[in-house]
Amino acid sequence: MAKEESVVLLGFWASPFAMRVRIALEEKGVGYEAREEEVVSNNKSELLLKSNPIYKKVPVLIHGEKAICESVIILNYIEEAWPSPSLLPTCPYERSQARFWADYIDKKLFEGGGQIWKGKGEAQKAAVKEFLEVLKVLEGALGEKDYFGGDNFGYTDIVAIPFTSWFYAIEQCGGFKLEDECPKFSAWMNRCMQREAVAKTLPDPEKVYEFVCMLKKMFGIE
Ligand SMILES: N[C@@H](CCC(=O)N[C@@H](CS)C(=O)NCC(=O)O)C(=O)O
Ligand SMILES: *[C@@H]1O[C@H](CO)[C@@H](O)[C@H](O)[C@H]1NC(C)=O
């Protein structure tokens, strides 16, 4: 059985993409070995270069002899390899909606967040405005539900929640307060943080802020 094969995750503590995989494995109760890659100094392991020769990025899930790359593809793999408890709804339409919002988050949220902490002046102001618009759209998708999929924490929540560990840094850089601007999204964040799999995976926002400050110095911003 595939389930008895070893499970290794090549990751990096501040990578929201790697956090997705950790949360999914925790939710499924799959034991795994986490190996930390030195992505900042670009000192990547031979195993990473061999397992993800195309992008050379984390996360990579190595299940037995097989390597799976790209966080959302890994999430789908986990859902199929360990079906229970399921992260996706059973109804095909609802599954499509979970994937639609996961894709939206991938395309819009990360881009926008990056433009804030990397930006300056007017460009940064515009990035903040756009970022808040994206969060408003997500608040609309949440509606009155507890989670994106309804009553249960699932697929879209797992795709979205990791990046919120960067929000404190983004607020500091962008000069705004998320809770005032997007109370519903804030409430959803707090709800997700109650889950053990999320609480034990997400890094301390202050530590992420220090990391962002270090990156800004490294990239010569400010
Ligand atoms: N689309 C990829 C993004 C992965 C990604 O950007 N990983 C970053 C860390 S957050 C990385 O490995 N960067 C190292 C590099 O690009 O050399 C996914 O969803 O897995
Ligand atoms: C790069 O990683 C290898 C293996 O983990 C380690 O032995 C080496 O000291 C690292 N080099 C640098 C420059 O950090």
Side-chain angles (χ1 to χ4, degrees):
M1 252 323 259
K3 276 168 202 161
E4 280 148 37
E5 286 175 320
S6 65
V7 180
V8 174
L9 172 64
L10 307 184
F12 173 65
W13 70 274
S15 167
F17 307 103
M19 291 174 214
R20 290 172 173 170
V21 179
R22 299 182 80 121
I23 295 170
L25 292 171
E26 293 284 347
E27 287 287 338
K28 300 274 188 183
V30 177
Y32 66 98
E33 180 199 335
R35 290 197 202 160
E36 194 72 359
E37 289 288 335
E38 293 173 32
V39 291
V40 178
S41 57
N42 205 30
N43 185 20
K44 294 166 183 168
S45 71
E46 282 303 318
L47 186 59
L48 175 59
L49 301 177
K50 188 182 86 182
S51 310
N52 189 356
I54 309 291
Y55 297 120
K56 305 175 178 69
K57 288 187 178 192
V58 296
V60 177
L61 185 74
I62 305 173
H63 188 193
E65 299 293 307
K66 299 177 296 273
I68 305 108
C69 304
E70 287 293 306
S71 62
V72 173
I73 293 170
I74 298 171
L75 215 55
N76 287 324
Y77 176 84
I78 291 172
E79 178 73 352
E80 288 167 11
W82 296 278
S84 174
S86 123
L87 303 172
L88 276 164
T90 44
C91 158
Y93 175 71
E94 284 171 20
R95 290 165 88 91
S96 77
Q97 295 313 289
R99 292 192 164 114
F100 175 88
W101 289 112
D103 181 59
Y104 177 84
I105 288 156
D106 243 6
K107 285 176 180 153
K108 297 284 191 180
L109 204 61
F110 288 83
E111 270 283 319
Q115 279 168 1
I116 295 175
W117 70 260
K118 289 175 196 157
K120 277 187 199 172
E122 287 306 311
Q124 189 182 50
K125 259 194 210 143
V128 169
K129 188 166 168 273
E130 213 177 305
F131 187 71
L132 292 173
E133 277 164 15
V134 169
L135 291 178
K136 288 287 171 199
V137 171
L138 289 174
E139 285 193 327
L142 261 175
E144 298 307 315
K145 301 184 301 256
D146 279 351
Y147 301 102
F148 281 95
D151 295 334
N152 300 313
F153 176 84
Y155 191 87
T156 311
D157 306 296
I158 293 177
V159 168
I161 195 67
F163 195 47
T164 66
S165 60
W166 285 61
F167 280 13
Y168 173 69
I170 289 167
E171 287 176 314
Q172 296 304 307
C173 298
F176 67 97
K177 195 122 183 50
L178 186 90
E179 209 174 345
D180 301 340
E181 308 280 349
C182 303
K184 250 188 183 173
F185 193 87
S186 250
W188 166 82
M189 273 170 55
N190 294 335
R191 210 171 293 127
C192 290
M193 286 303 286
Q194 306 293 311
R195 290 204 69 92
E196 202 194 329
V198 177
K200 70 193 273 191
T201 298
L202 265 54
D204 179 359
E206 302 235 7
K207 210 178 137 204
V208 176
Y209 180 46
E210 282 169 26
F211 177 64
V212 165
C213 293
M214 188 276 286
L215 288 179
K216 283 173 73 155
K217 272 198 198 116
M218 219 172 92
F219 297 151
I221 307 164
E222 286 178 347

